[in-house]
Amino acid sequence: MQRIRVLVVDDHRIFAESLAAALAAEQDVEVMAAGSGPVALRCLERAAAEGRRFDVLLIDADLSGALTAEAGGAGDGAPPLVVRLRGLHPELRTVVLAERDEPRLAAVALQAGASGWVAKDCSLSRLLQVIRGVLREETHLPPALLTGVLRELTASRKHRSESERLVASLTPREHEVLRCMVAGLGRKAVAERLFLSPHTVRTHMQNVLGKLGVHSTLAAVALARRAGIGPVDLEQAAV
């Protein structure tokens, strides 16, 4: 009998341990609980090093940084935890555990790579059905969420298309400056990296804001992220 290896990530210790115990009662399920993102990463890395990969991640929607960017250095946010975990372990299937049904967050979860969204108070049989379903490449959402999630995904696609159109209007140099802005670099740092004068960088930044139709660096960065523009590689030497 092939066993399903499940990792529960929730900072509510009693809930995580109770859920883990309930799942472990199933003959074909092996489960471990982690109370934070860093602990989950260590569990996954240790399991991979030992040749015992996890199959399914059950993660609390309200866990800090699970579905939204975490505050990082240099004014830039680290990617959501679900994105990082899926990037490091693409074979892992993710199911989000939620206190309440929120179409917007559920849509964000799907876009981040999650395969399912279930209520924390759902029955054990329902949770097992979802776990086994996502391993068959199925996507599981509560029926009551479907309309709202589809609406959110449609709106997100429209916003992304518009953002991509605006970013495409930038010159190559303005695009470089925008990526530096996404990385959280200030005018002086951008000037040093691109071997430009601060005055020239200021002009480029103003042009970027104007072409994107925004009035602040934060708004420009948000639009760039919607368009799929990542930060400039700070480890890479400027050319």
Side-chain angles (χ1 to χ4, degrees), residues 85-100:
L85 292 175
R86 287 280 292 156
L88 293 170
H89 306 276
E91 76 287 348
L92 191 66
R93 298 293 173 264
T94 303
V95 175
V96 177
L97 304 172
E99 294 268 359
R100 56 205 169 275

Side-chain angles (χ1 to χ4, degrees), residues 37 59-71 78-84:
I59 186 167
D60 179 16
D62 294 328
L63 186 74
S64 176
L67 300 176
T68 56
E70 295 179 290
L81 180 59
V82 168
V83 173
R84 283 184 286 154

